[in-house]
Amino acid sequence: MAFENFKESMLSWGKRGTAGATIAGRITFENVSRMFSGVHVINNVSLDIAPGEIVCLLGPSGCGKTTLLRLAAGIERPDHGRILLNDQEVSGPNKFVLPEKRSVGLMFQDFALFPHLRILDNVTYGLQSLNRQEAKQVAKAILERVGLSSYAEDFPHILSGGEQQRIALARAIAPRPSILLMDEPFSGLDPRLRESMRTETLAILRETRSTCIIVTHQPEEAIRMGDRIVIMNKGRIIQSANSKDLYYKPRNLFVARMLSGMNELNYAVVNGQIETPLGALDAGHIETGTDVIVAIRHSDIRLTQSPQAQIGRVLTHQFLGDMSLLELAVHGFDLPLLARLRRDEAALPGQEIRVTLDANAPLIFAADQDHINLGAGA
Ligand code: ATP
């Protein structure tokens, strides 16, 4: 973007009621690998993120999520492969564009505002391409947008954690980066504040039409925020899809486990069926004799009054607030099943119950090649 256009777009922060739009960018990872001490921390990752798309990276600790963000930002260099911003190579064998030249905004877990700078100056910090007056105008407008303009002349320490986080968001977004990278941006907040920050951040990202990559540990955050969720493990992308597809059609047990607590049961297929104590399941095209894992979400088990349903007994009842987690001894199962039920649906330890399954349950995976999902619910 020519500087004058850029300047005009920046100054329009102050002219509109909303946060205004960025020139959203496309980011493309092409077979990117990064090694530390001989180990692949990122292993041949390819991922294309469209302008304006919000993508959440979800995976266990150490799977490479932050490293992928650092590669996008240009803080790390790939050992192999290329990264493109708007189809232009920014990291690769022939080219490396420095982080400050990438139009990439960062908001990390320890969002670290500068304690010695006033809040307005914290936000203008990233606006060095504007003159002082213009930068102030832009910063005031974005502070207005996050509802904290009255603190412009104060220092960060007087703000609560949530307010500081909103300033960090304002600072990251003020320069209208074409890509915004957020590393566990809400992890330091209490649950209520986290929820309102998610809502507010999502609203600002949509208004600004920002392309955004968000790293998270929390499935519900990824489901809430992401147009797409990328599930990672050991430096690789395991599945990249919208939340409904991930939930109903997980590629393997690992993906299914990332999104929900599962009861995992081993069976063999006989004549196109899997006989379980909760009824026969259709095994589709799976051959007789194939060992499978039937995965039943804790939340897909129901208690019922139906006399035909399988009988059982409540072993334990854990109160979780809105929900309860029950351990159930169910006739025909060697091990107890875990069930997550609404508080008013739950029963008490010792109580006799009857058990059935939700319509979409369960998922069926091949036992010896867990990357194949043989029969997920629709
Ligand atoms: P978390 O969710 O715990 O933040 P993550 O998925 O973001 O984890 P990364 O921070 O990307 O994981 O780290 C992936 C692996 O790479 C870890 O084992 C980490 O120790 C290692 N690692 C990351 N940066 C470096 C480095 N500069 N030198 C050596 N090892 C590193």
Side-chain angles (χ1 to χ4, degrees), residues 269 271-274 281-287 364 374-375:
V269 173
N271 298 331
Q273 299 240 299
I274 302 162
L281 304 172
D282 183 2
H285 59 279
I286 312 169
E287 281 178 25
I364 301 165
L374 296 168

Side-chain angles (χ1 to χ4, degrees), residues 15-93:
K15 292 179 188 152
R16 297 182 204 169
T18 70
T22 56
I23 309 295
R26 170 180 292 279
I27 180 161
T28 312
F29 299 83
E30 278 181 6
N31 307 106
V32 171
S33 294
R34 177 76 174 115
M35 295 175 86
F36 290 122
S37 316
V39 176
H40 271 103
V41 167
I42 296 295
N43 196 346
N44 199 25
V45 162
S46 293
L47 178 65
D48 184 36
I49 300 177
E53 193 179 11
I54 301 175
V55 167
C56 289
L57 302 182
L58 181 66
S61 193
C63 71
K65 305 180 294 294
T66 297
T67 304
L68 200 62
L69 277 202
R70 290 167 62 84
L71 285 159
I75 303 166
E76 297 285 350
R77 291 174 186 240
D79 294 311
H80 185 264
R82 302 194 308 158
I83 299 171
L84 314 179
L85 283 181
N86 296 322
D87 303 319
Q88 303 295 314
E89 185 172 314
V90 288
S91 294

Side-chain angles (χ1 to χ4, degrees), residues 107-108 110-119 122-123 148 155-157 159-172:
M107 184 173 160
F108 283 113
D110 55 345
F111 44 84
L113 300 177
F114 301 114
H116 59 290
L117 293 184
R118 289 177 200 281
I119 284 160
N122 261 285
V123 180
L148 292 171
F155 288 94
H157 71 269
L159 298 180
S160 71
E163 288 164 342
Q164 292 194 25
Q165 203 119 6
R166 273 147 71 194
I167 301 296
L169 177 64
R171 183 178 62 182

